Each structure stands twice: as C-alpha cells, then as structure tokens.
Amino acid sequence: MAIKSKIRELQEKREKLLLGGGEQAIEKQKALGKGTARERIMALLDEDSFNEYDLFVEHDARDFDMDKKSLPSDGVIIGSGTIYGAPVAIFAQDFTVAGGSLGLMHSRKITKIMDHALKMRMPLIGINDSGGARIQEGVNSLAGYGEIFFRNTISSGVIPQISVILGPCAGGAVYSPALTDFVFVVDNISKMFITGPEVIKTVLGEEISMEDLGGARVHSEISGNAHFFASSEEECFAQIKKLITFIPWHNGQKARPFDPGEPLKKYNIDKIVPDDPTLPYDVKDVIRAIVDKSDFFEIMEHYAKNIVIGFGRMGGRTTGFVANQPLEMAGVLDVDSSDKAARFIRYCDAFNIPLITLVDLPGYMPGVDQEHAGVIRHGAKVLYAYSEATVPKLTVIIRKAYGGGYIAMSSRHLRADFVFAWPAAEIAVMGPEGAANIIFRKEIMSSDDPDGTRKQKIEEYKQKFANPYVAASRGYVDAVIEPEETRRFLLHSLAVSEQKSIQMPEKKHGLPPF
Ligand code: HXC
C-alpha cells in the first residue's frame, strides 16, 4: 500500500534528522559530559510526553557556502510535553549542528514555541548550548535574537520562563536567559559571557579562562546571573522538575496544592535561636521548622547569602520565603541581597504566591563601598517590591529589626497583612549600644565611671525600646507569639488571606529603582 511506503519514507527521514550533527559531533559532546539536545529533553520531561515540532525546518542562507550545507532541524529542537503532568513548552539548542548557532530559521523555531507557550499559558523552558549568533547569517541572526528578547519581555510575569545553560551561551545569547525568571547552570559545563576570552585578550590584553570568566560558579556566587547550581546535568534536571511543582503554569492561577505534612521533629523551633542575641543561627533551620515536611527549596543559595529566598509549602500551598540570614554578615541588607530579595518578591507577587518574611537584621549595610555601589538605589528596590506586592504578606520578627531594616522587611507600614513578633524581638531605630552612645553621650562623658554609665544606659534603652511590646502597643505588631506557635499563626493567616483583594491606583506602570 502506498501509505506504508510513505510511512517508511517518513521514518527514514526522521531517523536521519534525529542524529543531528552526526555521530562524531555527538561523541565530542558526550566527551565533555554533555547530553545531546534530544537526550536532555527526554531526561526532563515525563516519559513519552514529548511532541516535537518543526523537525524538518531547514535554513535558507546562501552566503559563505551556506547553500551547500545542510543543518538538521537548523540546530534546535522544539516541542511540548509535561513534567509531573504539568504542560511545558521547550526548546533545546543542538550544539552538534553548527555549534547550536542561531540563524534566522533557528530563531523562528524558538519564537514559534515561545508564542505557543504564551498563547497556551504554560511554562517555557529553554536549554541553551550555542556559539551565539550564526556568523554567516549576519543581521538575520541579530534580528532573531531581537525577536526572542521581545517575547521574553512580553511573556514576563504571564508564564514562567526557565533558562538552562548547558554549554556555551555567548554574545547576545546571554540576554534571553537574563530576561527569564530562573537560570540553571551546571559545574564545568555552563559558560555565559557577552565577549569570550579571545576578544578580551585582543581588546584588553588580558588572559582569562572561559571558566573564570563566566563559568557556573562565577554566575552562582559572584554575578548573581544564575539561580540554581548543579554538579551534573541529572542534578540540574531534578532541580527544574522540583521547581515546576512549586510554581503555577501561568499568572491566572495558583500553584497546584500538594499533600500537607508537619515539619520534621528534628527542627525544634524553640531551640534554634540562641538566648544570647549576639550569637548567630541558621535561619534556614527556622524555615524548615515551619514548612510542610521541612522541605525548603532554596533559590540563589550561593549568592548574597546574607538573605535567604526560596519556596516551601504551608498546608500544601506554595509559599515564598524571604529571610535575613544571621550567619552571614549578621543578615544585613546590602546591594546584592536587596537585589536578590526584591526580584524574588516581585516573582511571587506576579505568580500569586504568598510571602512569608522572617526578620532578624541590624539594618542596611553602612560604609563607603556600599554607598558608592548604590545601596540607596538597590536598597529601595526592597521597599518598592514589598509595597507593590498584593499577594498575602506575613511577617515574623524573630530578633533584631532595626532602623530601615525594620521598615524594609515587610513591615506593617509597607502593608504587611499580618505581623508577628517573637518575645525576644528588638524593634528599634538602631541597636542599643549605638543608641545609648548617641542619646546619652553627655551623661556618659561627664560620668565618673563612663563605662559603667554606658552599660547602665544601654540596659535602660533595651528595657524601654528594644522589645516587641512598644510596636505591639501601637498595633504595628499584631501579636507577640511564642516560637512554637509560629506555624499555627501562619497557617491561620494564610487561610484567611486566600481571597485577599486590594485595588491599586490605575497606572501604566510604576518606576521601580532598577
Ligand atoms: C557559526 C559557529 C558559531 C557561530 C560555533 N560555530 N559558533 N558557527 N556561528 N557563532 C560552529 C563552528 O564553526 C564549528 O563548526 C562548530 O560550531 C563547533 O564549534 P567549535 O569552535 O569547534 O567548538 P568549541 O571548540 O567547543 O568552541 C565553542 C565556542 C566557539 C567557544 C562557542 O565555537 C566560539 O567561540 N564561537 C563563537 C562565539 C561567539 O563569539 N559568539 C558571539 C557571536 S556574536 P564546524 O563546522 O567546524 O563543526 C553574537 C551577538 C548577538 O552572538 C547579539 C544579539 C543582540
């Protein structure tokens, strides 16, 4: 029958294309510890869920002998599938085909799946492994990037956008990931830079390796471009799958609920925070003592560690956590931690994820370096993000809440819906030592025993102001609670906030300080 031979013809054509750039190029890819584009998609998606589109797309470039070259599927695979049943649109650049470089048809395949994701309201995952703009295609390649950046921006806040860097990501190619919500990198495999070592050597005369310039560790620890760091592609895919379980498919819905579960007994909330207020503790243990099954999914773990951000579930519902980390620089807000927190707050707000903020900080970081790096501008991002957020906002003041830090960390004044304080909370304009030295300076200086008087005045100040009760007497704090009551108060507050609805003044858009 004719149809049978046609089916065979299709199968043969497919088989040829499925080999991408050929066995030799695939071997080279494997030798670097990298999977092929198709293997990566299969590893990420539910079994048998992938539907591929545009397998037969070919480039039509003519210059530089391109008319003599066949580039299977033009070096990128696109399609849709599911992750734990959640629909996702996906593309994966195929480095075995012209180094995954981006020509016109390659970019059209990517923009097609981006349009599809936006129209169908599902998350978009892009696996980047590419030498950047296909040099032979000139301005067509640049146009392709522009079309991608535009769609990244238009889709921002509507559907989740996830970028996975699994190879080089060079030149303009880096800006698409930078416009997306979450960037995943893998040690020794991911490389991101706007200009490579060769150009840097020519222009600046400096020698630097690709790894030191823009490897996975650089972007996870120093630049803040990456949100998740993994040691292998497998670990990276497990992280992406987990993330997908925490977020909604689009901004018109909430994340899917999961089976709730109590925190593990080993995280005893009464024992985590030391009695001595000068001693540090790991705020992640406090989060684990609060969230369902103690399962906290941290984001940007290795960057600006003085603030902790991530997802957990409360009563089965995804919740975003923002917490000062007393283990790092006493949990201060500085340029990088402000930036990290503000973006996460805006993510949660865009995707209907309630926010829980845990406060313990001495304030914004003082000093010439921070002032010159723009701590005012960056610090203001936190004020802006919390003020603007309309999702339920719950705050727990654990210990110190001084000065601007008190206001910035989701205070009542920025419209937190519920503010709780533990009994050891100190809510004041500044720390007792600094405050006593300023307001009692004359008494201390003129005293026969300045040290003794200073100690006495510090104690006096502590008694009067460094406690939660002054704020509670004004209603800035809704309840002073025992640590052990925290989960119960938060669960109740989240339950009564389910239908929260507030109107903001109409405007085209605000002007956050970015
Ligand atoms: C066309 C490219 C290419 C590119 C790689 N290839 N990059 N073809 N355009 N941009 C091809 C190579 O010619 C080679 O083809 C194959 O891909 C594999 O590349 P190799 O160099 O052999 O691989 P490797 O040694 O692993 O090095 C990978 C690399 C290197 C580090 C990515 O190829 C490289 O530096 N490429 C250029 C990176 C770059 O500068 N891109 C920026 C472009 S400008 P054959 O046929 O030999 O297998 C840009 C601006 C966009 O992106 C701005 C938008 C706003």
Side-chain angles (χ1 to χ4, degrees):
M1 257 172 25
I3 184 72
K4 279 205 174 143
S5 68
K6 295 286 177 199
I7 290 172
R8 209 170 310 117
E9 187 191 355
L10 168 66
Q11 287 169 343
E12 281 166 11
K13 277 179 186 285
R14 270 187 186 160
E15 260 165 45
K16 208 165 156 219
L17 287 167
L18 293 185
L19 269 182
E23 273 157 15
Q24 219 179 327
I26 291 175
E27 264 171 39
K28 197 176 160 195
Q29 180 92 341
K30 298 263 183 189
L32 296 170
K34 295 162 72 178
T36 65
R38 200 162 262 107
E39 281 169 354
R40 287 164 169 173
I41 290 178
M42 298 311 166
L44 196 50
L45 300 186
D46 295 338
E47 215 177 329
D48 294 331
S49 75
F50 182 55
N51 268 19
E52 182 169 353
Y53 315 125
D54 286 356
L55 178 70
F56 297 105
V57 161
E58 264 285 347
H59 74 87
D60 58 3
R62 294 281 165 266
D63 298 328
F64 303 103
D65 286 341
M66 284 295 282
D67 48 345
K68 299 192 187 80
K69 275 192 189 158
S70 166
L71 302 181
S73 305
D74 211 32
V76 64
I77 299 169
I78 66 164
S80 52
T82 59
I83 292 179
Y84 297 130
V88 294
I90 190 163
F91 71 83
Q93 292 179 307
D94 184 350
F95 194 83
T96 68
V97 178
S101 57
L102 184 136
L104 183 66
M105 295 312 289
H106 179 120
S107 71
R108 284 203 178 145
K109 285 181 71 172
I110 293 178
T111 53
K112 182 178 191 173
I113 203 66
M114 293 178 85
D115 289 342
H116 188 71
L118 182 61
K119 186 164 61 180
M120 303 308 175
R121 295 291 194 266
M122 60 174 148
L124 174 79
I125 301 174
I127 301 179
N128 296 263
D129 186 1
S130 163
R134 188 173 297 152
I135 297 161
Q136 299 92 326
E137 294 200 34
V139 71
N140 275 331
S141 311
L142 301 183
Y145 274 123
E147 294 290 333
I148 293 171
F149 303 158
F150 176 79
R151 283 167 176 81
N152 283 136
T153 307
I154 296 306
S155 299
S156 180
V158 183
I159 51 168
Q161 299 185 79
I162 292 167
S163 295
V164 198
I165 314 298
L166 293 182
C169 185
V174 296
Y175 285 109
S176 173
L179 288 165
T180 62
D181 307 333
F182 298 108
V183 176
F184 289 75
V185 291
V186 176
D187 204 12
N188 295 318
I189 290 180
S190 313
K191 315 272 183 284
M192 279 179 99
F193 38 75
I194 53 168
T195 41
E198 289 289 326
V199 179
I200 290 180
K201 196 174 164 194
T202 314
V203 179
L204 302 171
E206 289 171 15
E207 296 235 18
I208 187 159
S209 71
M210 254 201 256
E211 197 61 40
D212 289 341
L213 179 63
R217 285 181 192 277
V218 167
H219 291 303
S220 309
E221 296 168 16
I222 303 170
S223 73
N225 285 326
H227 300 82
F228 294 94
F229 173 89
S231 309
S232 64
E233 294 198 5
E234 292 69 37
E235 192 192 342
C236 172
F237 298 145
Q239 291 171 339
I240 297 168
K241 286 165 138 173
K242 185 154 185 176
L243 174 67
I244 288 287
T245 69
F246 276 106
I247 57 180
W249 302 350
H250 57 84
N251 68 341
Q253 61 169 215
K254 291 181 181 176
R256 286 180 294 174
F258 264 63
D259 283 346
E262 287 303 305
L264 304 180
K265 292 246 178 321
K266 71 171 177 173
Y267 297 104
N268 183 342
I269 199 159
D270 283 329
K271 300 227 166 101
I272 297 167
V273 180
D275 286 339
D276 180 346
T278 61
L279 292 180
Y281 60 91
D282 188 350
V283 78
K284 290 182 217 173
D285 287 341
V286 178
I287 299 174
R288 291 188 187 109
I290 293 172
V291 295
D292 288 6
K293 301 172 189 170
S294 299
D295 184 9
F296 176 55
F297 188 52
E298 189 173 357
I299 301 167
M300 297 183 97
E301 184 183 350
H302 309 289
Y303 178 76
K305 292 183 190 171
N306 39 329
I307 203 143
V308 171
I309 58 171
F311 296 124
R313 291 193 182 87
M314 296 292 290
R317 287 276 184 195
T318 298
T319 308
F321 280 84
V322 180
N324 308 118
Q325 174 58 288
L327 276 184
E328 294 282 334
M329 297 154 68
V332 285
L333 276 174
D334 59 359
V335 165
D336 291 342
S337 61
S338 296
D339 206 68
K340 172 176 164 181
R343 191 172 154 83
F344 180 66
I345 294 160
R346 298 193 93 206
Y347 182 86
C348 291
D349 190 44
F351 288 100
N352 314 309
I353 298 172
L355 281 159
I356 290 179
T357 304
L358 304 181
V359 187
D360 187 349
L361 82 166
Y364 280 102
M365 176 87 164
V368 178
D369 287 352
Q370 283 293 307
E371 295 287 358
H372 289 193
V375 70
I376 298 172
R377 181 163 52 89
H378 294 285
K381 291 177 183 174
V382 182
L383 304 172
Y384 195 104
Y386 271 125
S387 301
E388 179 193 45
T390 58
V391 288
K393 296 182 282 193
L394 285 52
T395 306
V396 181
I397 302 174
I398 293 179
R399 214 164 55 173
K400 297 185 197 76
Y402 296 158
Y406 157 70
I407 305 168
M409 292 301 291
S410 197
S411 64
R412 163 60 28 80
H413 323 293
L414 305 187
R415 301 296 177 270
D417 299 296
F418 297 93
V419 181
F420 306 118
W422 287 8
E426 298 174 18
I427 305 169
V429 172
M430 61 171 72
E433 289 77 10
N437 277 336
I438 294 171
I439 58 179
F440 301 119
R441 190 161 53 110
K442 281 191 192 132
E443 280 170 80
I444 293 169
M445 300 286 273
S446 60
S447 158
D448 295 339
D449 174 14
D451 282 348
T453 311
R454 182 177 293 113
K455 273 191 191 134
Q456 183 202 330
K457 292 294 175 192
I458 289 172
E459 206 41 50
E460 237 174 71
Y461 183 86
K462 268 189 194 163
Q463 292 296 327
K464 212 165 180 95
F465 296 113
N467 62 62
Y469 299 106
V470 181
S473 75
R474 292 280 173 271
Y476 304 149
V477 164
D478 298 307
V480 181
I481 60 172
E482 295 176 34
E484 183 263 320
E485 296 173 308
T486 308
R487 181 169 155 89
R488 184 166 63 77
F489 268 87
L490 292 174
L491 281 172
H492 176 81
S493 309
L494 286 167
V496 300
S497 307
E498 271 283 315
Q499 306 302 323
K500 179 181 174 186
S501 164
I502 53 171
Q503 296 295 318
M504 300 291 264
E506 217 171 284
K507 56 183 158 182
K508 187 170 175 192
H509 56 69
L511 291 163
F514 69 81

